Amino acid sequence: MLKLKSLSPLFAPLALASVITAGDVAVHSFVPQLQNTAIAAPEMTAQQKIDMISKNKGQIGSGDQLRRFFFGDLLPLGVQPGGAGMVVNLYNKANDVTFSYCATYDVIVAVKQGKVAMFSPNEVK
């Protein structure tokens, strides 16, 4: 059976390592300048977001992208036939852009500058 006296030389380095680790974590969590900022992606401009949505239109998930980028900034302008049945035209007043959104497949089917109540039928198919 092991005696506690034989393990005592191991306790000091273990305790020291624990204190250093806990202190390092505490300092990094309360001092933002010391946090690793390489992980955070740089903030995109509104135009870059619009360009990305335009590039991804017609792809599943582009509707989710629209909601993430412009959460709370979209006003419905109208509904029209298109996509997989009906599409909703959503206007972003801050950037003066209208998006046509198909909820069935969660895709953006059209993007146009300005306030567009109805897209042409060939744009929203």
Side-chain angles (χ1 to χ4, degrees), residues 37-85:
T37 56
I39 295 172
E43 184 65 30
M44 294 172 55
T45 66
Q47 188 56 50
Q48 288 173 322
K49 293 174 183 178
I50 293 167
D51 293 341
M52 182 176 282
I53 291 171
S54 297
K55 184 184 103 186
N56 294 333
K57 72 181 180 182
Q59 296 180 14
I60 293 176
S62 57
D64 182 51
Q65 196 174 44
L66 176 72
R67 287 186 298 277
R68 278 185 286 125
F69 289 160
F70 301 110
F71 179 76
D73 293 336
L74 300 169
L75 304 170
L77 291 179
V79 179
Q80 73 181 80

Side-chain angles (χ1 to χ4, degrees), residues 1-61:
M1 182 149 179
L2 290 174
K3 294 187 178 187
L4 196 55
K5 241 182 185 182
S6 64
L7 294 177
S8 64
L10 297 174
F11 287 133
L14 182 62
L16 184 61
S18 298
V19 168
I20 290 171
T21 302
D24 186 52
V25 168
V27 167
H28 280 94
S29 57
F30 293 110
V31 181
Q33 292 85 0
L34 297 177
Q35 293 177 355
N36 185 2
T37 56
I39 295 172
E43 184 65 30
M44 294 172 55
T45 66
Q47 188 56 50
Q48 288 173 322
K49 293 174 183 178
I50 293 167
D51 293 341
M52 182 176 282
I53 291 171
S54 297
K55 184 184 103 186
N56 294 333
K57 72 181 180 182
Q59 296 180 14
I60 293 176

Side-chain angles (χ1 to χ4, degrees), residues 80-88 100-107 109 124-125:
Q80 73 181 80
M86 300 295 276
V87 295
V88 180
S100 187
Y101 169 70
C102 173
T104 304
Y105 292 109
D106 192 32
V107 297
V109 293
V124 294
K125 56 182 171 177

